[in-house]
Amino acid sequence: MILRAEFTTEPFEGEGEPPAHAVAARDCLRAAGLEPEFGPLGTSITGDREAVLPALAAVLDTVLDNGGHRITLQVSVGNADEGQV
Amino acid sequence: MHPLAHAIAPLLEHIGGTAVPADECEPGDIVLHWEGAPAIAVRLPGEELTSALDRMIRTLEGELGGRLPDLPRADKQRAVRLLEERGAFTLRKSVETVAKALGVSRFTVYNYLNRE
């Protein structure tokens, strides 16, 4: 089963470098062998359920460890109708 | 109704506009003249809304120095924040339009707008 997950981590930092929690989340997915799309307002990932779900669990931990105070996550089956993040 | 209205009826049907008597003209209507006098007013659907958003986006692109899809990450964030401050997201279809222009999903834009 192919899943598409999109998540946004807060707090946002309006200027300068992306916040540590966003970067850490992206790097955590890369370390899991996935290729996340690191968008301006959120990150998305598409892959097999077996790979994506454990990676997302690690993302939640990583974000919390890196100063994130909220994570908003949407998981869709298949490559749902939305555009790229 | 003026003969001109009959003449352009197929055109209006195609673009979803309506013809009204010239003396019922409202702001945003386009008045067509015939032999020097106002004949009919053409009302375009939602013109004032979509063009307001388009104008906002175009103004912003001028300020940020590039088209929304081509802006670097930080400028894309700034663009959404500025559009939000300027009330762009009260306009119809605005989230969809901006999400498409930025190459992100509606979910992501809504998340951003709902942040605390």
Side-chain angles (χ1 to χ4, degrees):
Chain A
M1 179 187 287
I2 297 290
L3 296 180
R4 176 177 177 82
E6 297 178 51
F7 61 86
T8 298
T9 60
E10 295 176 55
F12 279 102
E13 289 168 23
E15 304 297 333
E17 294 302 302
H21 51 81
V23 174
R26 178 196 65 192
D27 294 343
C28 171
L29 289 167
R30 285 181 180 166
L34 296 164
E35 291 175 21
E37 292 161 27
F38 191 54
L41 308 172
T43 301
S44 71
I45 184 73
T46 304
D48 280 327
R49 174 177 173 171
E50 293 72 19
V52 167
L53 293 186
L56 286 175
V59 162
L60 300 186
D61 255 338
T62 304
V63 169
L64 296 175
D65 290 343
N66 282 273
H69 64 39
R70 177 180 297 129
I71 305 146
T72 320
L73 170 67
Q74 176 177 267
V75 180
S76 316
V77 175
N79 217 334
D81 59 338
E82 295 275 37
Q84 308 253 302
V85 169
Chain B
M1 198 49 126
H2 197 281
L4 185 55
H6 291 294
I8 65 168
L11 176 64
L12 292 181
E13 189 179 354
H14 184 74
I15 60 171
T18 50
V20 297
D23 58 358
E24 293 176 21
C25 171
E26 289 179 2
D29 290 351
I30 298 164
V31 178
L32 300 182
H33 290 70
W34 188 262
E35 293 179 342
I40 53 170
V42 172
R43 191 160 299 162
L44 298 171
E47 174 64 19
E48 68 288 346
L49 284 182
T50 50
S51 65
L53 182 60
D54 288 345
R55 275 199 305 273
M56 273 176 151
I57 290 175
R58 264 198 293 280
T59 303
L60 189 60
E61 286 177 334
E63 290 168 18
L64 296 176
R67 304 293 317 280
L68 284 191
D70 307 329
L71 292 172
R73 178 189 166 91
D75 281 345
K76 284 181 175 170
Q77 286 190 350
R78 191 176 304 138
V80 177
R81 208 170 51 248
L82 288 169
L83 286 169
E84 184 186 17
E85 283 170 10
R86 296 170 189 183
F89 292 107
T90 60
L91 298 172
R92 198 166 47 91
K93 299 259 183 187
S94 52
V95 168
E96 205 165 321
T97 303
V98 171
K100 205 169 280 181
L102 291 176
V104 307
S105 72
R106 289 196 308 273
F107 169 78
T108 304
V109 177
Y110 281 123
N111 261 357
Y112 183 79
L113 295 176
N114 289 335
R115 76 197 184 282
E116 291 173 5

